Amino acid sequence: MHNELRREARFDHFGHVMCDGLCPVGGVIDNVSQSGCRVHFDVPVTVSFESDYEIHARLSRFPTDELVLIGHPAWVRTDNGATAIGFSILRSPDTVRWESFVAQVCQEQQEIDDDGLPQENDQCLFV
């Protein structure tokens, strides 16, 4: 596995997404960072890179609290009829809640990493 160079740490986290201006069916958010997220739709989606989209996200940790975010598409990948979209999160009605949520996930990941067990990128020698 290789490391990707990114401005910010990314974390695996799942939730449901509705983006009516983009796709009539729901999608899944599966990767988050302070400034963006990755969303998957199981159908082909046509994306305009000149448009911003209102994203309604229900994260698995807070399924009853919907976050309203404004996302600008950064990239799109299509594979076997499914579409993955990377969104940059713009100033949104729930930006503060989003940033708080990602900071919490980051802190929890740091606590897991501090447990002393070898991590994905650590080398381990068994004798």
Side-chain angles (χ1 to χ4, degrees):
M1 181 173 257
H2 70 283
N3 289 332
E4 294 183 32
L5 296 176
R6 300 216 179 247
R7 289 181 295 172
E8 299 167 336
R10 294 181 149 283
F11 305 97
D12 293 332
H13 189 78
F14 296 95
H16 295 281
V17 173
M18 288 300 298
C19 188
D20 294 335
L22 185 61
C23 184
V25 298
V28 176
I29 189 170
D30 67 358
N31 192 284
V32 300
S33 73
Q34 284 290 342
S35 65
C37 62
R38 180 175 60 207
V39 176
H40 288 268
F41 294 96
D42 287 336
V43 296
V45 176
T46 302
V47 178
S48 169
F49 285 95
E50 288 79 37
S51 299
D52 299 330
Y53 296 95
E54 187 172 286
I55 302 165
H56 296 261
R58 290 190 188 275
L59 303 170
S60 62
R61 189 169 300 165
F62 309 108
T64 58
D65 294 335
E66 181 178 88
L67 295 178
V68 178
L69 304 167
I70 306 299
H72 185 81
W75 55 265
V76 176
R77 292 190 186 106
T78 328
D79 186 27
N80 294 328
T83 306
I85 306 168
F87 284 103
S88 295
I89 303 298
L90 306 175
R91 189 47 102 185
S92 307
D94 287 323
T95 298
V96 173
R97 290 176 55 207
W98 173 262
E99 290 172 349
S100 175
F101 166 74
V102 174
Q104 180 181 351
V105 172
C106 178
Q107 180 180 359
E108 290 170 3
Q109 184 63 46
Q110 185 64 37
E111 290 170 3
I112 291 170
D113 291 347
D114 289 343
D115 68 2
L117 296 175
Q119 298 302 311
E120 180 178 308
N121 297 328
D122 292 345
Q123 292 184 2
C124 185
L125 177 63
F126 292 97
V127 205

